[in-house]
Amino acid sequence: MCMQSIERQFTRIGARAKVHPPVVRRWGITPEVSIDIGNDAEGEFFDLSIQPKLVAETQVIDVQPSLRHLLLMSRQDDGKHKFLCGHDERHWFVAAVPERASVSSVKTAFDALKPTAVRALENRLGVKPRKRNRRRNEAFIRQGEWFFVPVENQGLVDARLALRNEPISRGGGKPHMCEEVVRQGGQLVYVSNQYPNGLTEGQHRRLISRKPELRHLHWVAQRRNPSVFVRGRVRHPDHKTILLDGWHQVMMNTENESIAMRHVAFID
């Protein structure tokens, strides 16, 4: 598939795409494939930077004009990488699909991006196929990359721990602001500017034993991988505000499990 053919496929979903060779960087590594959402005088467009040798190995394998989504595949030395490109409420987006999933269409890409627990709940509740890719059904309410799943036993969430007007974010990008958030469980870690990923209690104790001077760093006790619960309004500038009646558990889509995530420059 040539550059013009790829661009024509994007027009079928009402999008503009600009396909071009990567800009050679004097410093750093020039990626073989990079996908971004750009802006110009005409508005948003898909900015696809592809090494010339890989243009023929990059193709659109499914287009759903009525949904304004398509599935793009790029064959590279380390395997096939797939990207769901489409429109979500107000803006165009691109999401890398986990390689472990067998994906051949927009529909199967939607499914692959759902957390395992969400798909299991849809099956248990008998959610009809036509409702499974909506932003709201019996199993969840979705806003961007976040799935909010109703908590069956509301008493399991300790409302005394609630923080108000609290952001949730996968790192980088604009956070989703939540009216009330509770974080429970997870692993206790100690975080400082020099150790932003955190140290467990044992690691922290051994470090201070070896280097006593580090005890004077500004250490903050936090929880790694806690269960996160939200209720009330959830706001984001790129999405409609949603209202969660009662506590909902927060689950992120599976994009971070994808090797192809390194090709996606745009992060919500």
Side-chain angles (χ1 to χ4, degrees), residues 21-234:
V23 176
V24 178
R25 299 173 182 170
R26 185 173 180 182
W27 309 110
I29 299 173
T30 301
E32 292 185 321
V33 176
S34 178
I35 306 176
D36 196 0
I37 303 297
N39 268 284
D40 61 16
E42 298 179 48
E44 292 182 332
F45 63 91
F46 286 89
D47 187 1
L48 285 76
S49 169
I50 306 173
Q51 290 280 9
K53 67 178 182 179
L54 290 178
V55 171
E57 301 299 322
T58 302
Q59 59 183 305
V60 175
I61 59 176
D62 186 36
V63 182
Q64 296 295 327
S66 62
L67 298 176
R68 302 181 78 184
H69 283 71
L70 61 77
L71 185 63
L72 182 75
M73 180 178 72
S74 175
R75 292 187 183 88
Q76 299 179 45
D77 292 340
D78 59 353
K80 297 178 182 178
H81 302 297
K82 296 171 184 176
F83 307 89
L84 181 65
C85 303
H87 196 273
D88 189 22
E89 295 185 86
R90 299 172 182 171
H91 296 276
W92 296 105
F93 76 93
V94 55
V97 180
E99 287 76 12
R100 58 169 172 72
S102 178
V103 170
S104 59
S105 65
V106 167
K107 179 183 180 301
T108 52
F110 273 130
D111 289 338
L113 285 166
K114 289 179 184 176
T116 301
V118 168
R119 286 188 279 116
L121 183 59
E122 285 183 317
N123 291 335
R124 182 164 67 83
L125 296 177
V127 178
K128 295 179 180 179
R130 62 182 173 82
K131 298 174 67 177
R132 293 197 173 199
N133 291 329
R134 294 179 180 176
R135 283 189 286 274
R136 179 190 296 256
N137 61 33
E138 296 92 330
F140 65 82
I141 298 172
R142 182 178 65 81
Q143 188 184 68
E145 70 270 33
W146 299 106
F147 290 81
F148 301 93
V149 179
V151 176
E152 292 184 10
N153 185 350
Q154 294 282 304
L156 293 176
V157 182
D158 190 349
R160 295 173 301 176
L161 302 177
L163 300 173
R164 297 189 62 84
N165 300 316
E166 183 77 358
I168 58 173
S169 173
R170 64 179 173 183
K174 293 168 280 189
H176 296 240
M177 297 302 298
C178 307
E179 191 170 346
E180 290 186 275
V181 174
V182 169
R183 295 180 176 90
Q184 293 181 179
Q187 182 182 36
L188 177 66
V189 293
Y190 293 89
V191 177
S192 72
N193 289 337
Q194 292 188 28
Y195 297 89
N197 293 325
L199 301 176
T200 64
E201 250 184 313
Q203 291 170 334
H204 180 257
R205 186 171 54 252
R206 289 190 292 273
L207 176 68
I208 298 303
S209 178
R210 293 196 314 271
K211 300 180 178 179
E213 67 277 10
L214 294 183
R215 72 172 63 251
H216 300 296
L217 292 178
H218 179 60
W219 294 99
V220 178
Q222 296 185 349
R223 291 276 169 181
R224 179 186 289 161
N225 298 323
S227 295
V228 180
F229 304 93
V230 171
R231 72 178 175 186
R233 289 175 174 78
V234 183

